[in-house]
Amino acid sequence: NAGVTQTPKFQVLKTGQSMTLQCAQDMNHEYMSWYRQDPGMGLRLIHYSVGAGITDQGEVPNGYNVSRSTTEDFPLRLLSAAPSQTSVYFCASASWGANYGYTFGSGTRLTVV
Amino acid sequence: AQKVTQAQTEISVVEKEDVTLDCVYETRDTTYYLFWYKQPPSGELVFLIRRNSFDEQNEISGRYSWNFQKSTSSFNFTITASQVVDSAVYFCALSEAGRFSGANSKLTFGKGITLSVRP
């Protein structure tokens, strides 16, 4: 099992550019979510999904879009990158009711200049 | 709304000392789940424990132990005989089991505690 795979690991964008952060899991997990981590802020939820075709906003959704067309994939789209979106992004997945928490990807470090 | 407070931001101890990381949570739900995650300097997030609101038994796993007290809304984490490899950021997190969510649903994280263990 690969677990949760995030690509790319590092990315530099110019203000106004768009891009998609990829996330894939091979564990057949129902739940998937995106978090951003900023110094002193912990991890904050951007968007989440409880299954294919179902997504919802988290705490900090502005400037980001998601879709969940398959169980395995949950891409995060930055529509028009801003310096405030410089952060480390984590994708995570979990199984309903399983006696463990989310499995996290290794993260994407994004810098917007 | 749910909230997790980790009032300690940085803790520094000498190897072999015991250390307790505090976590206080707020939720209106009667069914909820509490978690601890470890983030070592390499950056990945490592799951340590999940505890549901109906189980107040303390948990021990090797040098790690957790104390869950609903009366004080706390879920504290103690490392006994700390080691340099315990140096990391530790996050406490909470999820509520709402009508359309299961035991693993969206997590609310605290801001994390940076633990430094000196040799």
Side-chain angles (χ1 to χ4, degrees), chain A residues 31 35 37 40-43 45 48 90 94-102 104, chain B residues 35 37 39 43-45 47 50 91 100-107 109-111:
Chain A
Y31 292 106
Y35 292 84
Q37 183 178 17
M41 299 296 292
L43 283 88
L45 181 65
Y48 67 101
F90 287 96
S95 178
W96 185 303
N99 194 27
Y100 51 83
Y102 271 94
F104 282 83
Chain B
F35 303 78
Y37 281 86
Q39 186 176 44
E44 73 271 24
L45 284 152
F47 167 77
R50 189 190 89 167
F91 292 99
F100 297 109
S101 62
N104 284 312
S105 183
K106 51 180 180 175
L107 297 178
F109 282 84
K111 294 185 177 181

Side-chain angles (χ1 to χ4, degrees), chain A:
Chain A
N1 278 353
V4 178
T5 303
Q6 284 184 241
T7 56
K9 293 192 182 302
F10 301 93
Q11 183 71 48
V12 179
L13 287 179
K14 293 182 178 179
T15 297
Q17 286 185 318
S18 62
M19 80 159 294
T20 299
L21 306 185
Q22 300 292 343
C23 177
Q25 53 95 4
D26 61 358
M27 298 171 283
N28 203 33
H29 284 170
E30 301 90 347
Y31 292 106
M32 295 187 75
S33 55
W34 278 100
Y35 292 84
R36 59 177 290 174
Q37 183 178 17
D38 303 293
M41 299 296 292
L43 283 88
R44 293 180 292 169
L45 181 65
I46 305 171
H47 285 286
Y48 67 101
S49 169
V50 299
I54 306 170
T55 63
D56 205 349
Q57 297 181 351
E59 181 185 354
V60 288
N62 292 341
Y64 307 95
N65 271 358
V66 293
S67 60
R68 183 100 180 267
S69 56
T70 67
T71 300
E72 294 78 19
D73 300 301
F74 192 45
L76 178 71
R77 299 181 188 84
L78 279 71
L79 309 173
S80 177
S84 60
Q85 293 179 304
T86 293
S87 188
V88 179
Y89 291 85
F90 287 96
C91 178
S93 72
S95 178
W96 185 303
N99 194 27
Y100 51 83
Y102 271 94
T103 300
F104 282 83
S106 57
T108 296
R109 185 173 294 275
L110 176 68
T111 302
V112 182
V113 298

Side-chain angles (χ1 to χ4, degrees), chain B residues 24 39 66 72:
Chain B
V24 174
Q39 186 176 44
W66 291 268
T72 56

Side-chain angles (χ1 to χ4, degrees), chain B:
Chain B
Q2 55 192 39
K3 183 179 178 182
V4 175
T5 301
Q6 296 181 264
Q8 305 151 309
T9 55
E10 295 184 15
I11 300 175
S12 181
V13 299
V14 177
E15 207 169 19
K16 297 184 183 178
E17 284 186 22
D18 298 347
V19 58
T20 295
L21 310 180
D22 297 332
C23 174
V24 174
Y25 62 92
E26 295 176 28
T27 178
R28 296 177 186 171
D29 275 16
T30 55
T31 302
Y32 52 89
Y33 300 84
L34 295 163
F35 303 78
W36 277 93
Y37 281 86
K38 175 182 179 180
Q39 186 176 44
S42 53
E44 73 271 24
L45 284 152
V46 179
F47 167 77
L48 295 179
I49 190 171
R50 189 190 89 167
R51 174 66 73 204
N52 73 57
S53 54
F54 298 110
D55 183 2
E56 283 193 77
Q57 276 193 329
N58 290 336
E59 177 94 7
I60 298 175
S61 176
R63 296 184 296 107
Y64 294 172
S65 63
W66 291 268
N67 181 269
F68 176 29
Q69 290 194 333
K70 290 177 73 171
S71 60
T72 56
S73 297
S74 64
F75 186 45
N76 297 337
F77 173 28
T78 298
I79 301 174
T80 302
S82 60
Q83 300 176 0
V84 173
V85 294
D86 295 326
S87 297
V89 181
Y90 290 88
F91 292 99
C92 181
L94 165 72
S95 74
E96 294 171 339
R99 181 181 175 190
F100 297 109
S101 62
N104 284 312
S105 183
K106 51 180 180 175
L107 297 178
T108 296
F109 282 84
K111 294 185 177 181
I113 302 170
T114 300
L115 174 64
S116 298
V117 182
R118 308 187 306 277

